[in-house]
Amino acid sequence: MFGNVNVDYKPCKSQIQLDRASRYMLGELPEQQQAGVIKTAPHLCWEMNCDRNIYSCDILTTRKLFGKRDNKRTNLAFKMSLSFSPDDNDKLTYEEVFNIAKEFAEKFFDGYQVMFAVHTDKPHKHVHFLVGNCHIETGKAYRRSQKDLQTMCEFFGEQCMKRSLTNSVRRDYYNDSPERDKETFAEKQMKAKGKETFKDELREVIRIECADPNNKTLEDVVAALMKHYHVECRVKGNTISYRHPNYTDKSGKLVSVRGSKLGDKYTVKGINYELGKILRGREADRAETLTARTVITDVGAETAGRKDILLHTGEDEKRSGAYPQGVRAVTQGTETGGTTNGNQETDGTFAGTGRYRNESSGNGGGDRSILGGRSEGREGSPSGDGNAKNVPTFEELFDSYKQRNTKVVRTSDAEPEPARAVRKKRQDRGR
């Protein structure tokens, strides 16, 4: 179980930011007081190893004691929050939220200067934290790894489950799922404006190749990316990087990006995980299909046996004249034609299944028009046109890509230059 622990806030890098953050949590900013907003109450605020009223001064003093130098890159403190679902408001009081937050702080922030406040101005109950980035005894910075965040979420989820706060628990908030993409702030801004990024194109073609039934290993995916989309891949140990075929930097060189920057799904581990998951799904579908065919065969055999019984019964009743002639003719037509029609329908079903299977796998498994799809298509395609559609050329694709974006992306039609050998400059000693 995972709880709703939010740690995506930007850190405080200056005393002004730190002071505003602490005053915001206490509801002491001038704009809050002018608007009459009451953020919290005195008994719902708490601090550890510091004074909440002079929190920024305490943080800077501790850093000076350990000789910490501050600059624009320095993280003075980190923001964090715990939030609960509004559907659990009837089961949760503000005092209970305060107790959960205090236990959370004592467990994960021991030795650091921490303050938190329970906010009461929103429909959902939540807590804001400020965690100093300098240990009061060792002077070490506060480090948060993915495993630490996962442990925090598990602990918070357990606290919610103990109090029957089922709506406040989330299973997939901070887990190690490879399905989650990593997007930078610049990417989010471009998406908000309706623009595309070269990273999105890389993600899409990687997903297409991973889903292709012809690609069963990482090597197959790498070769297919180069063949169909001109995406050059470099694998070194557990690291993989991708080079977009037509996206360059300011100096005109092609840009490469690591798979870990695209998301866990696009790393070596993520691709192997995805290929294994798809393979397991295909095996399950194949087993289900075989089971369905077995059931159909058994039902067909049972039906044929019943028809034999009906035929014998019909002949006996015909001799005895139990049915009128018209009814008897309809019965015979159904009995004699039913078997033939049933076999035809059964054969048609399997023929249709095979036809659909050929259509899904014979044409190359998807549209190859992204990142300049090649005109020769898949090896299994008899026509060589990819998916039997009018596939645009490589140049047309990137012309449309540049037209969709207002900011012109610098491209280079020339092939990347090979690495130049490093030569030492030798001086002529004789001169």
Side-chain angles (χ1 to χ4, degrees):
M1 296 296 180
F2 296 90
N4 194 350
V5 180
N6 191 349
V7 291
D8 280 343
Y9 292 130
K10 292 183 179 181
C12 298
K13 294 181 175 293
S14 66
Q15 184 178 4
I16 296 177
Q17 293 180 356
L18 189 59
D19 186 64
R20 284 190 60 85
S22 61
R23 296 180 66 185
Y24 168 81
M25 290 171 53
L26 300 175
E28 298 177 352
L29 291 177
E31 51 268 28
Q32 293 175 335
Q33 296 178 351
Q34 293 176 1
V37 177
I38 300 176
K39 301 292 292 185
T40 184
H43 69 283
L44 298 178
C45 301
W46 186 78
E47 65 273 355
M48 181 172 63
N49 303 322
C50 62
D51 187 349
R52 74 180 81 164
N53 298 317
I54 52 172
Y55 181 76
S56 60
C57 295
D58 286 349
I59 293 293
L60 295 177
T61 302
T62 303
R63 295 184 63 85
K64 289 181 180 179
L65 290 175
F66 288 96
K68 299 284 185 178
R69 294 183 179 181
D70 301 333
N71 51 45
K72 294 181 179 180
R73 299 181 182 180
T74 303
N75 295 326
L76 300 180
F78 295 100
K79 300 177 183 178
M80 188 176 294
S81 68
L82 303 178
S83 59
F84 302 82
S85 173
D87 297 331
D88 292 330
N89 286 341
D90 55 342
K91 304 177 183 178
L92 188 65
T93 62
Y94 287 111
E95 287 73 17
E96 191 69 21
V97 174
F98 178 87
N99 294 332
I100 295 175
K102 183 178 179 181
E103 187 175 358
F104 185 88
E106 291 175 345
K107 181 176 179 63
F108 295 104
F109 309 136
D110 184 28
Y112 292 92
Q113 295 170 303
V114 184
M115 65 170 292
F116 72 80
V118 180
H119 283 185
T120 61
D121 61 328
K122 296 293 178 64
H124 66 286
K125 296 179 173 66
H126 61 282
V127 189
H128 286 277
F129 290 86
L130 270 178
V131 184
N133 195 24
C134 184
H135 198 277
I136 61 174
E137 295 179 358
T138 62
K140 293 183 178 180
Y142 176 67
R143 303 298 183 186
R144 301 170 301 170
S145 63
Q146 181 70 25
K147 185 177 180 180
D148 294 333
L149 300 178
Q150 188 172 354
T151 304
M152 291 180 185
C153 293
E154 289 177 348
F155 175 80
F156 181 61
E158 292 174 358
Q159 299 302 313
C160 292
M161 293 300 294
K162 289 180 181 179
R163 297 165 174 82
S164 301
L165 306 175
T166 56
N167 296 310
S168 299
V169 178
R170 299 177 63 178
R171 298 176 181 269
D172 56 350
Y173 197 79
Y174 260 110
N175 58 1
D176 202 13
S177 173
E179 301 294 335
R180 181 170 53 91
D181 294 343
K182 293 182 180 179
E183 296 181 350
T184 61
F185 182 70
E187 284 187 88
K188 294 179 180 179
Q189 281 187 325
M190 291 186 67
K191 284 189 175 182
K193 297 178 181 179
K195 299 179 182 179
E196 297 176 352
T197 64
F198 79 99
K199 291 183 180 180
D200 283 335
E201 289 192 354
L202 290 176
R203 292 187 184 102
E204 185 170 357
V205 297
I206 295 169
R207 288 195 298 266
I208 290 175
E209 294 301 340
C210 288
D212 194 326
N214 297 322
N215 301 327
K216 299 180 180 180
T217 62
L218 175 65
E219 290 75 14
D220 295 339
V221 174
V222 171
L225 286 172
M226 185 62 188
K227 180 179 180 180
H228 301 113
Y229 304 107
H230 299 277
V231 175
E232 183 181 353
C233 303
R234 181 182 179 184
V235 181
K236 187 176 181 181
N238 296 326
T239 304
I240 184 171
S241 60
Y242 308 92
R243 175 176 290 179
H244 196 283
N246 208 29
Y247 187 84
T248 59
D249 57 9
K250 295 181 180 180
S251 60
K253 295 182 180 180
L254 296 176
V255 176
S256 299
V257 59
R258 287 193 177 186
S260 58
K261 299 296 182 181
L262 300 176
D264 296 337
K265 186 177 180 180
Y266 311 98
T267 61
V268 173
K269 179 181 177 181
I271 291 177
N272 290 328
Y273 172 85
E274 188 68 17
L275 293 174
K277 184 176 68 174
I278 294 175
L279 180 61
R280 290 190 295 270
R282 290 172 187 162
E283 293 177 351
D285 294 340
R286 190 180 299 111
E288 185 178 354
T289 303
L290 293 175
T291 304
R293 290 184 178 181
T294 304
V295 172
I296 292 174
T297 304
D298 296 340
V299 172
E302 184 179 356
T303 305
R306 291 181 179 177
K307 288 178 180 178
D308 292 339
I309 296 174
L310 290 174
L311 286 173
H312 291 296
T313 305
E315 291 177 358
D316 296 339
E317 291 173 347
K318 179 179 179 180
R319 296 190 188 97
S320 62
Y323 293 112
Q325 184 175 1
V327 177
R328 187 163 57 250
V330 173
T331 305
Q332 292 175 357
T334 305
E335 293 166 355
T336 57
T339 305
T340 304
N341 294 336
N343 292 333
Q344 291 177 353
E345 292 176 0
T346 305
D347 296 339
T349 302
F350 290 114
T353 305
R355 175 169 54 85
Y356 295 149
R357 186 182 299 111
N358 293 333
E359 290 177 357
S360 62
S361 61
N363 290 333
D367 189 2
R368 300 293 168 184
S369 61
I370 306 171
L371 279 180
R374 302 296 295 274
S375 60
E376 63 268 25
R378 285 291 187 191
E379 296 177 358
S381 177
S383 61
D385 59 351
N387 57 355
K389 294 182 179 179
N390 295 326
V391 180
T393 63
F394 183 77
E395 291 76 10
E396 291 174 352
L397 284 168
F398 282 98
D399 289 340
S400 62
Y401 170 76
K402 288 187 291 184
Q403 292 175 2
R404 289 194 302 269
N405 295 270
T406 56
K407 182 179 180 180
V408 178
V409 180
R410 289 175 295 275
T411 59
S412 176
D413 297 333
E415 294 294 333
E417 297 181 0
R420 292 175 295 181
V422 179
R423 299 182 178 89
K424 295 183 179 180
K425 295 182 180 180
R426 300 180 179 178
Q427 297 179 357
D428 189 1
R429 297 181 180 179
R431 294 182 180 178

